[in-house]
Amino acid sequence: MTAPGHPAAGRHATRAALAELTAGGAGVIAANPDRRSREMGLAPGAAVRVTRNHRRDHALVIALGDARFFISRRIAEGITVEREIAPRGAGAGGESGQGAKS
Amino acid sequence: MTAGVTVALVGNPNTGKTTLFNALTGARERTGNWSGVTVARAEAEMALAGTVARVVDLPGIYELEGHTLDERETGDYLRLRRPGVVVNVVDASSLERSLCLTLALRALGMRLVTALNLTDVAERRGLRIDAAALARALGVPVVPVVASRGEGIEALREALWQRLGEAGEPAGTAAPAAGDASIGEAAAQARRERARAIAHAVTRRAAPPGERVSDRVDRWLLHGRVGVPAFLAILYAIFWVTVRATQPLVEFTDAFAGALLVHGPRAVLEHAGCPAWLVAVLADGAGAGLVAVATFIPPIFAIFLCLGILEGSGYMPRAAFVMDRLLRAIGLPGKAFIPLVVGFGCTVPGLLATRTLAQRRERVLTMLLTPFMSCGARLPVYTVFALAFFPNRGDRIVFALYVIGIALAVLSGLLLHRTILPGAGADYVLELPPYQFPPWRLCLEHAWFNLRGFLARAGRVIVSVALALSVLNACGNRLLRRDRTSPSPDSSVSAAIGRAITPVFHGMGIDDANWPATVGLMTGVLAKESVIGTLDVLYAPGQTAPGAPGSFSLRHEIRSSLRELAEGYRLIPRSGSSSPHGSWPGMLTAMRGAFGSGASAFAYLLFVLIYSPCLAALAVLAREAGWRWMAFSVGYQTALAWMVSTGFYQVVTWHRHPGASARYLAAIACAAALGGLLLRRQGLRMREGAA
């Protein structure tokens, strides 16, 4: 199992704000200055996936393991995620789950 | 040792603490499928191995330092009250996050027992938690439970008993000062990493997390163009069930209870030769009041059942998402919509639910808007008027009133946001729980518990008001007319008061002869249910008797009401001879005559919808927001109620009296402009004061 935040060999990571990810985009949280959302689980090392992100909405819907959150855009703009970019031909990087053995 | 021991339930929001509390103690505290259902602590007693323990249910928290009023209550309680043992309720389907709090509680030196709840949900998602391994990793007893089905409760009691019997105090018993448990972000991050490692070690997952049914449903229900119509459709379905589907039951209850409590006693008392005033007080006062209460049982039960299903389904936070854009326009976060929806059941828990909001400005604004949501107590008023004036489209009339309430809340929010309560809604994160069909048992219990509360409160208020009014009527006759035979409310004390105030309501189609409508509004401030109790007594005395004394037959009345019930649900063909409105022809006919038209009746309903909240809501408003905001709420809502209902009536009846209507509408426009100006000036003054 790939350790969260440490892309596997052959892949490289780019950093972006969570709010910049489109629906289906996934990454691992690298930094989050918002204490409340950190307490709710959106802390560094957590793998997240955006399930809804419409520019005209004030909020996004994201998945953190089995949980789903409705998060204000301004908070999402402050959260930095590390996106895994798979090399051409490889599958897209998925979420690593929430502390679960597969 | 356990005498007077306290057991506190602590955990993240929406982990099933209150469901567990109810299962442990037999209490019936409010539950729901969203974060922040419990906003104040609840206490009850529980039998524990032959002794009695006090169980305390606390609002959900993520960390010991709370962000909102409800969360701070939990942190303060744990630090200052030091419960004997803490049951840390952990969500098995979201273990990592739940364990962060477990570790924080352990660091605080609490004597812990971990209740691993929602194991059924975790199993459905392919997650298996090794409870024994978790207990070893935490150094704390772990008991798997499914609180909603009562599974594991006995094992939990046993673990609590054993934990209390353990010799010595746990580590760190010295009461720590506030802040000891959260010594900075580094400690919190260390706890999160430890929680992640433990969760990883004890969880076996059959399949990686993927798209769930809830995600597919959300794709539609959260869609920009579908979300709001879907919300309105859900609301309409609730009112269709509440008003339309229960109509035959309302008529049956009315006829059945009327025969037992009004017509029967009247026939017996008259046969016994009792004086007319005594017959009036007992049959038309107490009896009619009880019938009015009984008649509301079907719609009240239906609305609380529907709201219970809605609250347990997981839709509430979605409604917050759907309404986020609209509420942002008035400076509120979408999260503020949840207290407003709770207000559909009763304004009081709606006001308390604002404790989950972070800013005081947001709380005050939401509290001022919550009374615009039609509560369950206003529903009987709508139902009776719908029956009298709009028998074939009652559900649409009631739905329209609810939607008008929401629209007025938004418009009032816009006005207050731009004047005395400016500011932007705070940013926040809200968890979207998976959709579920809540257990029928819990839904029925929720409806029954609320119905019982309604009956107790409404019974007290309605019967007291009905009794007091009929005594006033009787006294009025004796004192003013010296007529001891046929009590008429026209010369009573309540009539004198009603007549003095009625001119204020001329503009909404209430003439001097319809003074009972004014008395209804006055008693409605005590509790909205009493509006109908009042009208029942003042419109119908002496008119509810089915025939001459001696002709009453209880068997015939009951058979007739049962036939009407079967006809109402089309179990048998309609005979054509039965009354379409049960045994209320006296009151309904009197109402139709008094109001004269549907326009006047609807204007009256608008007033009932908008004017001052009831006394119970005002008391909570004063406690939570301060007496000045409470006074503002009374003044603002009553003035707005008059303007909207008078404006509506004058526009609809313009063709009958264009000159008078123009004057009324001009007066309303002037009053609105003046009110807006005053609010703006006050807003500027407040901003200058703050600067």
Side-chain angles (χ1 to χ4, degrees):
Chain A
M1 183 174 171
T2 306
H6 295 284
R11 297 179 175 215
H12 66 280
T14 59
R15 288 198 165 198
L18 178 60
E20 289 172 21
L21 266 57
T22 52
V28 174
I29 294 177
N32 178 7
D34 181 66
R35 192 180 131 202
R36 172 70 168 180
S37 56
R38 275 201 313 268
E39 289 172 5
M40 292 176 77
L42 300 174
V48 292
R49 179 168 53 86
V50 174
T51 63
R52 181 189 164 89
N53 187 1
H54 285 194
R55 198 165 291 173
R56 59 199 178 87
D57 288 345
H58 284 277
L60 293 73
V61 180
I62 61 166
L64 169 73
D66 286 299
R68 302 290 180 270
F69 293 94
F70 159 33
I71 176 169
S72 290
R73 183 167 296 281
R74 257 182 300 192
I75 294 177
E77 281 167 354
I79 297 176
T80 309
V81 291
E82 217 159 63
R83 280 189 293 182
E84 287 185 16
I85 308 294
R88 199 174 281 273
E95 58 191 303
S96 61
Q98 209 185 357
K101 280 179 183 174
S102 51
Chain B
M1 174 186 171
T2 52
V5 73
T6 306
V7 175
L9 302 184
V10 183
N12 287 166
N14 208 27
T15 51
K17 293 177 296 302
T18 304
T19 309
L20 183 60
F21 174 78
N22 290 342
L24 283 170
T25 63
R28 291 289 173 268
E29 288 295 323
R30 182 193 194 90
T31 57
N33 187 15
W34 81 88
S35 302
V37 180
T38 305
V39 290
R41 76 167 186 264
E43 298 188 14
E45 288 182 344
M46 165 182 81
L48 191 63
T51 61
V52 175
R54 175 150 290 276
V55 185
V56 183
D57 181 27
L58 293 162
I61 51 169
Y62 292 105
E63 286 283 343
L64 295 166
E65 302 297 318
H67 292 254
T68 52
L69 274 182
D70 56 325
E71 293 178 356
R72 279 197 283 275
E73 180 169 355
T74 302
D76 291 347
Y77 182 89
L78 291 174
R79 279 190 212 92
L80 304 174
R81 306 287 281 270
R82 305 281 309 167
V85 62
V86 169
V87 176
N88 172 220
V89 186
V90 163
D91 178 356
S93 66
S94 188
L95 192 61
E96 179 183 325
R97 188 180 52 192
S98 291
L99 292 182
C100 291
L101 181 64
T102 312
L103 296 173
L105 290 167
R106 209 179 58 173
L108 198 61
M110 292 289 167
R111 196 193 311 228
L112 283 183
V113 171
T114 294
L116 186 65
N117 194 23
L118 300 169
T119 47
D120 54 334
V121 176
E123 276 171 25
R124 279 203 297 275
R125 289 187 197 162
L127 293 167
R128 290 190 74 85
I129 315 287
D130 184 343
L134 182 61
R136 280 194 302 277
L138 292 171
V140 165
V142 175
V143 183
V145 296
V146 181
S148 61
R149 296 204 296 253
E151 290 173 16
I153 302 301
E154 281 314 308
L156 181 61
R157 279 186 219 270
E158 207 168 297
L160 281 171
W161 177 246
Q162 280 177 7
R163 193 78 170 119
L164 285 164
E166 281 172 11
E169 292 298 304
T173 32
D180 271 13
S182 98
I183 48 171
E185 178 52 24
Q189 184 61 22
R191 276 200 302 273
R192 282 193 281 271
E193 281 166 15
R194 175 90 182 113
R196 189 174 298 160
I198 295 174
H200 183 79
V202 304
T203 307
R204 298 250 164 223
R205 183 187 280 279
E211 193 180 55
R212 305 178 314 203
V213 176
S214 290
D215 295 329
R216 288 198 283 277
V217 176
D218 276 345
R219 212 171 290 149
W220 288 102
L221 285 186
L222 301 183
H223 191 278
R225 290 196 188 125
V226 181
V228 175
F231 170 72
L232 292 175
I234 290 169
L235 214 54
Y236 181 74
I238 291 175
F239 301 127
W240 188 89
V241 170
T242 303
V243 178
R244 201 67 180 266
T246 63
Q247 196 166 321
L249 267 175
V250 171
E251 290 168 2
F252 165 75
T253 315
D254 175 42
F256 189 78
L260 279 180
L261 300 168
V262 178
H263 308 323
R266 170 183 284 276
V268 171
L269 290 169
E270 282 176 350
H271 186 72
C274 290
W277 65 266
L278 185 63
V279 176
V281 167
L282 291 180
D284 299 333
L290 285 171
V291 173
V293 175
T295 314
F296 305 147
I297 291 174
I300 293 290
F301 187 80
I303 198 160
F304 280 113
L305 184 65
C306 290
L307 287 176
I309 294 170
L310 188 72
E311 291 176 5
S313 68
Y315 180 71
M316 297 285 268
R318 272 80 179 185
F321 181 90
V322 166
M323 294 295 168
D324 191 62
R325 175 193 289 268
L326 193 66
L327 291 184
R328 290 270 166 202
I330 60 174
L332 286 177
K335 199 178 169 183
F337 196 62
I338 292 177
L340 299 182
V341 178
V342 172
F344 283 136
C346 176
T347 306
V348 169
L351 294 172
L352 292 174
T354 61
R355 288 182 178 189
T356 57
L357 301 175
Q359 299 176 358
R360 177 166 161 81
R361 185 196 64 82
E362 289 174 354
R363 287 196 65 213
V364 170
L365 184 52
T366 311
M367 278 191 266
L368 293 177
L369 304 185
T370 303
F372 284 105
M373 305 295 122
S374 281
C375 61
R378 275 172 270 189
L379 188 64
V381 189
Y382 302 162
T383 311
V384 170
F385 272 75
L387 210 60
F389 294 94
F390 320 100
N392 298 321
R393 49 199 161 103
D395 52 335
R396 273 174 273 171
I397 292 292
V398 174
F399 180 62
L401 285 162
Y402 277 75
V403 172
I404 290 169
I406 296 173
L408 285 172
V410 172
L411 292 174
S412 298
L414 214 54
L415 174 69
L416 299 173
H417 170 54
R418 292 195 173 173
T419 54
I420 53 175
L421 288 165
D427 296 317
Y428 63 99
V429 182
L430 192 62
E431 186 160 1
L432 299 174
Y435 289 106
Q436 62 170 17
F437 195 89
W440 270 110
R441 188 180 57 81
L442 291 184
C443 292
L444 289 170
E445 276 179 5
H446 175 264
W448 165 241
F449 183 70
N450 280 289
L451 176 68
R452 211 176 55 182
F454 169 84
L455 290 178
R457 195 181 62 248
R460 269 197 310 273
V461 174
I462 293 183
V463 174
S464 315
V465 166
L467 210 54
L469 286 172
S470 52
V471 168
L472 281 176
N473 289 345
C475 288
N477 280 288
R478 288 170 71 83
L479 295 173
L480 303 175
R481 285 175 47 187
R482 301 188 181 284
D483 176 357
R484 297 172 188 222
T485 51
S486 60
S488 158
D490 286 348
S491 56
S492 69
V493 178
S494 52
I497 301 168
R499 280 207 187 92
I501 300 171
T502 300
V504 178
F505 301 110
H506 282 174
M508 49 189 260
I510 296 178
D511 54 26
D512 287 332
N514 194 9
W515 57 267
T518 309
V519 180
L521 293 176
M522 285 157 53
T523 57
V525 178
L526 297 175
K528 303 285 175 180
E529 302 93 333
S530 57
V531 174
I532 285 302
T534 305
L535 298 185
D536 196 17
V537 171
L538 295 182
Y539 280 138
Q543 296 179 39
T544 48
S551 68
F552 174 77
S553 159
L554 187 63
R555 187 183 293 179
H556 171 77
E557 290 286 314
I558 291 172
R559 195 176 291 169
S560 154
S561 60
L562 283 169
R563 194 181 60 236
E564 281 184 24
L565 178 67
E567 284 173 0
Y569 285 113
R570 297 182 185 179
L571 300 174
I572 57 170
R574 222 174 240 291
S575 63
S577 62
S578 57
S579 153
H581 303 309
S583 65
W584 273 9
M587 181 188 169
L588 297 187
T589 309
M591 273 171 67
R592 282 195 210 102
F595 281 90
S597 67
S600 169
F602 193 75
Y604 187 76
L605 288 183
L606 282 174
F607 196 91
V608 171
L609 160 69
I610 308 166
Y611 85 124
S612 170
C614 69
L615 279 185
L618 289 176
V620 174
L621 197 55
R623 196 184 67 206
E624 299 284 315
W627 68 268
R628 284 185 186 174
W629 285 116
M630 183 212 80
F632 175 80
S633 174
V634 173
Y636 175 77
Q637 287 199 224
T638 307
L640 186 67
W642 184 84
M643 286 195 275
V644 171
S645 47
T646 304
F648 167 80
Y649 183 76
Q650 294 304 327
V651 167
V652 172
T653 58
W654 174 275
H655 60 283
R656 280 190 230 158
H657 35 63
S661 292
R663 282 194 294 279
Y664 267 116
L665 292 175
I668 290 168
C670 287
L674 185 69
L677 218 66
L678 283 173
L679 284 175
R680 199 172 163 187
R681 224 168 117 185
Q682 182 63 22
L684 285 173
R685 203 178 293 165
M686 284 163 76
R687 276 196 286 279
E688 280 166 12

